[in-house]
Amino acid sequence: MRNIIPGGANRIHVRSRRSCLESRLSLREVTRRADTMVHQVLYRALVSTKWLAESIRSGKVGPSLRVLDASWYSPGTRQARKEYQERHVPGASFFDIEECRDTTSPYEMMLPSEAHFGDYVGNLGISNDTHVVVYDGDDLGSFYAPRVWWMFRVFGHRTVSVLNGGFRNWLKEGHPVTSEPSRPEPAVFKATLNRSLLKTYEQVLENLQSKRFQLVDSRAQGRYLGTQPEPDAVGLDSGHIRGSVNVPFMNFLTEDGFEKSPEELRAIFQDKKVDLSQPLIATCRKGVTACHIALAAYLCGKPDVAVYDGSWSEWFRRAPPETRVSQGKSGKA
């Protein structure tokens, strides 16, 4: 005797389809929530000139919002501090990268200690709760600002942004400037080094064997290849670290000095076969324009790019000759 429930098979089939549908919906929800979390974790790396101008007009510059002019120029060209004193974004303080570095190091622009950085930015009125906006006056639109953006991040500060377009576009758009010096009330900033965003000579040397990280060099192609000299360099030939890929940082900027869109940035990395889903170390000559690679990757949703702080300046002087590649006269750097 068979006990058959009419329509039972259909009900089982419907339940099965409903279960599959719920699983798909659940997966979509998990993905949506994950995307939301990424956006929550990634603080806005860029702010517009319009946003900053409105923030200044509404009196927001103070303990919760500080603006820094991080301009630096090669000796004998422009004078960054003098230009700041003549005109700058209202409320901005001058961030002197020559003062906020390890002056005991034989290499260029090495990071200061946690205590040094904390004291320096604290005297600029910056606390761990401050949103920091950084710009510079370079004709490219941005040059040193991404370095200071990265310095804050490597010392544990999340709420830091670069002024998109820089001082060049601030002036071009007719926003206000002042020669009035900024005198912020000193604050307490506790710096905590995030070692995952920093690579040392020893780690990069080890990576030549392990190849756990992609190595990307941000310098101009001629300097990377060794066919053009390093500007203003004494005892430093051009060339690159063996195995590194060249992605010149200027490729990330438009002719008008703005950061390109995430879609354009991804295409630049893809064209050079740089996989943003994999670990990445950025390098250059002295750890400055390498930070443009970190910023561009961050804008593509990759916040974990590490910078080799000593970069070519250190590598050229310390690394085995076979790890230095050049198309210059000697064939090696």
Side-chain angles (χ1 to χ4, degrees):
M1 180 178 179
R2 291 185 299 171
N3 184 14
I4 299 175
I5 301 174
N10 286 337
R11 283 196 293 272
I12 292 171
H13 183 61
V14 168
R15 282 198 299 271
S16 177
R17 289 181 60 191
R18 184 182 297 148
S19 177
C20 290
L21 181 59
E22 288 173 350
S23 295
R24 286 198 296 271
L25 288 173
S26 176
L27 181 59
R28 288 174 189 163
E29 178 64 16
V30 168
T31 303
R32 185 190 68 78
R33 290 180 180 177
D35 289 342
T36 300
M37 287 175 65
V38 167
H39 286 295
Q40 287 173 344
V41 169
L42 296 187
Y43 196 79
R44 53 182 168 174
L46 299 176
V47 297
S48 68
T49 51
K50 181 180 178 181
W51 179 90
L52 182 57
E54 179 55 37
S55 296
I56 292 170
R57 274 195 299 270
S58 58
K60 292 182 180 176
V61 175
S64 63
L65 175 64
R66 295 294 186 194
V67 185
L68 300 178
D69 181 333
S71 301
W72 186 93
Y73 307 110
S74 297
T77 56
R78 296 166 61 180
Q79 299 179 53
R81 186 180 287 275
K82 183 174 182 291
E83 290 186 19
Y84 164 82
Q85 291 168 345
E86 292 170 349
R87 61 178 184 178
H88 54 264
V89 172
S93 296
F94 186 70
F95 185 101
D96 192 336
I97 202 162
E98 290 284 357
E99 293 181 0
C100 192
R101 66 182 180 95
D102 181 1
T103 56
T104 66
S105 173
Y107 310 116
E108 301 177 82
M109 298 297 179
M110 299 291 277
L111 278 177
S113 66
E114 291 172 323
H116 184 172
F117 185 82
D119 288 345
Y120 186 83
V121 302
N123 285 329
L124 297 178
I126 296 169
S127 75
N128 295 93
D129 298 320
T130 304
H131 177 197
V132 181
V133 175
V134 192
Y135 73 88
D136 64 62
D138 198 272
D139 292 336
L140 290 173
S142 180
F143 200 106
Y144 270 77
R147 167 71 180 188
V148 177
W149 169 82
W150 173 78
M151 287 175 73
F152 273 96
R153 294 187 62 241
V154 82
F155 282 118
H157 196 65
R158 176 173 165 267
T159 54
V160 57
S161 311
V162 171
L163 179 63
N164 196 14
F167 196 52
R168 166 188 169 183
N169 282 285
W170 181 268
L171 294 174
K172 182 180 178 181
E173 294 167 13
H175 296 298
V177 295
T178 184
S179 60
E180 183 179 345
S182 174
R183 296 186 177 89
E185 186 74 21
V188 175
F189 185 96
K190 180 173 173 52
T192 304
L193 183 64
N194 180 352
R195 296 188 180 277
S196 69
L197 298 179
L198 175 69
K199 293 300 174 187
T200 64
Y201 165 78
E202 290 79 12
Q203 289 170 314
V204 176
L205 186 64
E206 187 277 333
N207 189 67
L208 294 185
Q209 300 298 322
S210 67
K211 294 181 171 56
R212 292 184 297 116
F213 290 84
Q214 302 164 97
L215 188 60
V216 182
D217 191 315
S218 65
R219 289 173 298 159
Q221 186 182 53
R223 292 164 61 190
Y224 168 85
L225 293 176
T227 56
Q228 294 178 350
E230 288 292 330
D232 307 312
V234 178
L236 180 67
D237 295 342
S238 56
H240 63 271
I241 301 170
R242 191 184 72 209
S244 63
V245 176
N246 186 214
V247 183
F249 80 95
M250 288 181 287
N251 293 358
F252 300 134
L253 299 170
T254 68
E255 290 184 2
D256 292 325
F258 295 98
E259 201 76 23
K260 291 181 179 178
S261 70
E263 293 74 23
E264 291 172 303
L265 297 174
R266 287 190 192 96
I268 292 168
F269 284 118
Q270 289 171 358
D271 182 60
K272 296 289 186 169
K273 295 181 171 51
V274 176
D275 187 351
L276 292 180
S277 70
Q278 298 300 315
L280 194 160
I281 301 172
T283 184
C284 55
R285 168 178 160 178
K286 52 187 177 183
V288 173
T289 61
C291 299
H292 282 257
I293 292 174
L295 176 60
Y298 187 102
L299 294 170
C300 295
K302 182 176 180 61
D304 60 352
V305 171
V307 170
Y308 171 25
D309 199 29
S311 282
W312 182 247
S313 173
E314 180 182 33
W315 193 265
F316 176 78
R317 294 174 173 91
R318 293 188 64 186
E322 64 272 14
T323 69
R324 307 193 306 257
V325 181
S326 175
Q327 294 180 13
K329 293 179 182 179
S330 65
K332 66 182 178 182

